[in-house]
Amino acid sequence: MEKDFSEIFQSKIDEELKIEPKDWMPEKYRQTLIRQISQHAHSEIVGMLPEGNWISRAPSLRRKAILLAKVQDEAGHGLYLYSAAETLGITRDEMYEQLHSGKAKYSSIFNYPTLSWADIGAIGWLVDGAAIMNQVPLCRSSYGPYARAMVRICKEESFHQRQGFEILLTLSKGTEAQKRMAQDAINRWWWPSVMMFGPKDDESPNTIQSMQWKIKRFTNDELRQKFIDVCAEQVKVLGLALPDPDLKWNEERKHYDFGKINWEEFWQVVQGNGPCNKQRLEARKKAWEEGAWVREAAVAYAEKRKQKESLHAA
Amino acid sequence: MTKQYLIDYTLQLADNALILAQRNSEWCGHGPVLEQDIAISNISLDLIGQARNFYQYAATLIGGNATEDSLAYLRDAIDFKNNLISEILNGDWAQTVLRQFLVSTYQFYLYDALQKSPDQQLAAIAEKALKEVTYHVRWSSEWVIRLGDGTSESKQRIEKALEEIWPYTGELFIPVQHETDAVTAGIGVDPKMIEENWKQKVSTVFSEATLTLPPQNIWMHTGGKNGIHTEYLGYILAEMQFMQRAYPSAEW
């Protein structure tokens, strides 16, 4: 019986039909999706923190409004994604629990600090840029609710990326101090952004199965190469440089060659030893714990309302 | 020549919106519920929008090199005319939503009257802002009711918040010179004229929230509209204005 279901399932996937919440799916497919979608949702929520760090200090009212709206968009992305994950049979509270306990991960990039205003530009250009490379193929994910959430998210992300690039472009045309600030931000955010695509293909345990299930469409290294090729061109528009002396166009491969990635740093940050891992998680836990009485009050009030209404009805 | 009172009156409207927006935006990423994190950030965004409209108008009245940013980022506390209630600490969620309710209700009646001002700019900004503020009043009053009539802890917290905030509400309705001049000129709104409506609305919501209105004779803090602020404003400005001060005349 299971075998029949499993064949129907894979044939749907092969025909590019979407899997919907009520359809049969292998348990491992469900678990893989829960892991991936909740990790993505957590990344949106934790990702609010480094950028939120500059809302109060944004250098103009226009920039302040744009940044606040952007961080708010990320909260919205978190909402869609938590909802998509909930269709797989896990609650938002359970996912928070996994985040707070360290069981669930979020994108390591958000464990790096935002030290200057230019970081807001660099995050938009590089981090959102890398995220888009990862996410555009997810709009065709085999799981319907995830694919649909990603369509909305990708539209907003590409808007964010343009805004980020525009911040850097303005800085690059500005004073010496502004150019220095922009270059410094690119120096610090470049390598962590390159690492956002995850481990090398031969060290990425989930890739093969995820590609067969069409949860994933390209490998980590394919996407990474694409990202580097794009950025190597875009940085010329800024008149700035990527911090990689080995970055060079390879005519034969029709791709940019690039330097060695510091995987030691990557794994250290994943394991919780990045510059801001502790602060990010603490901030999330604090918001959650200090909000407990608010959520309890909302539930208690709703209960009271319900009781009053049923009294009126009776 | 533009009358100084009109500039000051417009700046007061702008400063009130901006300083409260700055405070509310501190919640972004730290709210008690994701949906409410979005809601308070949204209110903050609306207030920044209102502030920008008023600053842009003030800049045209002032002329010269004045811009919305020079007015927001290059004046010191003594020149800020916001009510003290905008600058006090966020405190907990109870204090934040209660302050929002008291201020939004004040803004509601203020903008409702101001949209009939013969000053077309002020009237147009007020008309647009009124739509946003109508939602802010609804959202914040619902929270006041929910917390007042929620659990014993939430009730205790909102009562404490009320004790903290109430002494900052008197100032809203005591006109200072530039307000009186704007009223005399027929352009501004007499704060005394909206006080009754404000009290009425507050007492309706409080009664649903099972909260008691504080006694009449409480001493009220004043000074904000004349540039005499709490200690908090200096820190708000130090943070908000840092970039413009550290990198004078750069473009962002």
Side-chain angles (χ1 to χ4, degrees):
Chain A
M1 193 66 177
E2 170 113 342
K3 187 159 176 289
D4 293 347
F5 281 131
S6 153
E7 272 165 16
I8 297 169
F9 171 81
Q10 189 61 49
S11 73
K12 265 194 194 165
I13 291 200
D14 295 342
E15 287 167 45
E16 298 285 337
L17 294 171
K18 295 286 178 232
I19 306 299
E20 295 298 333
K22 287 189 175 141
D23 296 345
W24 185 91
M25 61 186 85
E27 193 49 30
K28 181 126 189 296
Y29 176 85
R30 184 188 299 278
Q31 291 310 327
T32 301
L33 275 168
I34 288 179
R35 182 176 55 81
Q36 186 178 335
I37 302 172
S38 69
Q39 181 172 325
H40 189 171
H42 297 326
S43 300
E44 298 283 355
I45 301 309
V46 177
M48 295 170 74
L49 300 170
E51 291 181 276
N53 186 34
W54 278 88
I55 293 170
S56 66
R57 292 175 290 170
S60 71
L61 293 177
R62 178 174 157 262
R63 292 292 184 199
K64 188 191 285 293
I66 293 173
L67 179 58
L68 182 53
K70 182 194 168 181
V71 180
Q72 195 197 23
D73 280 348
E74 281 154 15
H77 297 172
L79 267 188
Y80 316 150
L81 289 163
Y82 284 125
S83 304
E86 281 180 318
T87 64
L88 292 158
I90 185 168
T91 66
R92 209 202 293 181
D93 284 6
E94 284 167 340
M95 290 184 266
Y96 280 148
E97 176 62 34
Q98 292 178 350
L99 172 68
H100 298 157
S101 72
K103 188 185 168 218
K105 298 284 179 216
Y106 54 88
S107 180
S108 271
I109 193 79
F110 301 118
N111 291 316
Y112 289 86
T114 47
L115 304 180
S116 80
W117 170 250
D119 288 30
I120 301 306
I123 289 182
W125 176 42
L126 296 173
V127 175
D128 292 338
I132 293 166
M133 293 270 169
N134 268 326
Q135 291 171 1
V136 166
L138 295 176
C139 299
R140 294 189 293 132
S141 162
S142 58
Y143 189 57
Y146 191 28
R148 290 188 288 273
M150 289 318 301
V151 172
R152 276 177 84 172
I153 290 173
C154 282
K155 276 187 196 148
E156 292 181 358
E157 289 294 356
S158 58
F159 186 58
H160 295 164
Q161 196 206 8
R162 282 203 297 278
Q163 286 168 346
F165 190 78
E166 202 253 325
I167 288 177
L168 291 179
L169 192 60
T170 307
L171 295 177
S172 74
K173 290 179 185 159
T175 62
E176 281 310 311
Q178 285 176 304
K179 283 181 209 164
R180 177 173 169 233
M181 194 187 284
Q183 183 61 60
D184 166 66
I186 293 171
N187 291 350
R188 284 181 288 106
W189 288 93
W190 172 248
W191 287 110
S193 301
V194 169
M195 293 180 207
M196 277 177 74
F197 297 93
K200 279 183 290 188
D201 290 347
D202 48 18
E203 286 165 26
S204 175
N206 302 317
T207 295
I208 294 173
Q209 178 66 83
S210 289
M211 288 187 72
Q212 193 196 353
W213 280 337
K214 296 190 182 167
I215 293 173
K216 208 168 168 171
R217 300 268 177 177
F218 300 97
T219 71
N220 295 352
D221 286 333
E222 284 169 347
L223 290 169
R224 185 172 5 251
Q225 182 68 59
K226 199 170 160 202
F227 174 71
I228 291 172
D229 290 347
V230 169
C231 292
E233 290 300 317
Q234 287 175 340
V235 78
K236 293 179 188 166
V237 181
L238 297 174
L240 298 167
L242 297 176
D244 180 359
D246 298 324
L247 188 76
K248 217 177 116 196
W249 179 251
N250 181 327
E251 188 54 40
E252 208 171 298
R253 289 203 309 128
K254 299 280 178 213
H255 285 297
Y256 276 88
D257 290 337
F258 53 94
K260 214 166 155 266
I261 294 170
N262 184 347
W263 292 111
E264 167 68 9
E265 175 179 323
F266 174 80
W267 290 114
Q268 284 295 332
V269 181
V270 169
Q271 283 157 28
N273 301 321
C276 299
N277 292 60
K278 288 192 180 68
Q279 291 91 324
R280 300 292 184 243
L281 208 52
E282 279 310 311
R284 286 313 314 160
K285 281 200 251 184
K286 184 165 179 277
W288 183 247
E289 281 158 16
E290 288 180 1
W293 70 269
V294 178
R295 298 189 297 275
E296 281 160 20
V299 171
Y301 176 73
E303 284 293 321
K304 281 187 196 174
R305 279 297 288 261
K306 228 196 301 179
Q307 276 176 12
K308 268 186 207 160
E309 274 162 25
S310 62
L311 268 180
H312 276 295
Chain B
M1 201 189 115
T2 307
K3 302 279 190 291
Q4 188 59 40
Y5 69 80
L6 180 56
I7 295 172
D8 289 346
Y9 189 76
T10 308
L11 284 174
Q12 179 182 314
L13 293 163
D15 293 342
N16 268 326
L18 178 63
I19 298 302
L20 187 55
Q22 181 80 1
R23 276 296 190 215
N24 282 339
S25 73
E26 292 171 22
W27 277 103
C28 185
H30 306 276
V33 187
L34 193 47
E35 286 82 348
Q36 302 308 325
D37 199 306
I38 294 174
I40 191 84
S41 300
N42 216 26
I43 290 175
S44 185
L45 267 175
D46 287 344
L47 291 170
I48 294 173
Q50 292 168 20
R52 291 184 68 188
N53 287 330
F54 285 124
Y55 282 133
Q56 284 163 10
Y57 180 42
T60 64
L61 295 173
I62 293 165
N65 297 326
T67 65
E68 57 170 5
D69 287 330
S70 73
L71 294 172
Y73 290 93
L74 301 175
R75 285 179 306 144
D76 202 350
I78 194 172
D79 290 319
F80 268 74
K81 299 176 200 327
N82 60 282
N83 295 299
L84 302 177
I85 196 170
S86 302
E87 69 201 45
I88 55 172
L89 295 173
N90 283 345
D92 61 7
W93 188 249
Q95 188 157 317
T96 295
V97 297
L98 180 63
R99 172 180 57 193
Q100 194 61 50
F101 169 63
L102 297 171
V103 173
S104 292
T105 304
Y106 159 78
Q107 283 181 324
F108 178 87
Y109 293 112
L110 174 64
Y111 291 157
D112 185 45
L114 192 61
Q115 64 177 342
K116 296 166 199 118
S117 168
D119 185 302
Q120 290 186 359
Q121 279 298 320
L122 289 181
I125 301 170
E127 189 186 351
K128 181 169 178 285
L130 187 61
K131 295 192 185 91
E132 297 162 353
V133 169
T134 304
Y135 166 74
H136 303 172
V137 172
R138 203 179 81 196
W139 177 86
S140 57
S141 62
E142 283 170 2
W143 269 109
V144 169
I145 294 165
R146 210 173 272 139
L147 297 183
D149 195 17
T151 60
S152 60
E153 179 176 4
S154 69
K155 172 134 199 177
Q156 200 191 334
R157 281 176 182 264
I158 200 153
E159 280 173 342
K160 185 168 164 286
L162 184 56
E163 216 174 287
E164 193 73 33
I165 298 174
W166 193 257
Y168 294 98
T169 56
E171 180 186 33
L172 302 174
F173 306 105
I174 304 169
V176 295
Q177 194 59 51
H178 57 256
E179 281 179 297
T180 306
D181 291 346
V183 172
T184 309
I187 288 169
V189 176
D190 183 352
K192 286 271 164 228
M193 299 297 285
I194 59 176
E195 189 175 10
E196 246 344 280
N197 283 331
W198 181 86
K199 277 195 174 145
Q200 192 63 48
K201 173 76 181 175
V202 169
S203 94
T204 308
V205 168
F206 276 18
S207 120
E208 206 180 329
T210 70
L211 291 172
T212 314
L213 269 178
Q216 293 268 353
N217 58 355
I218 280 184
W219 178 253
M220 293 289 178
H221 302 293
T222 57
K225 294 193 262 194
N226 282 324
I228 299 164
H229 289 275
T230 65
E231 288 181 346
Y232 301 124
L233 187 65
Y235 290 97
I236 293 176
L237 298 184
E239 192 170 330
M240 184 175 82
Q241 298 180 338
F242 157 66
M243 293 293 290
Q244 291 268 350
R245 301 287 189 183
Y247 303 94
S249 61
E251 292 286 327
W252 302 99

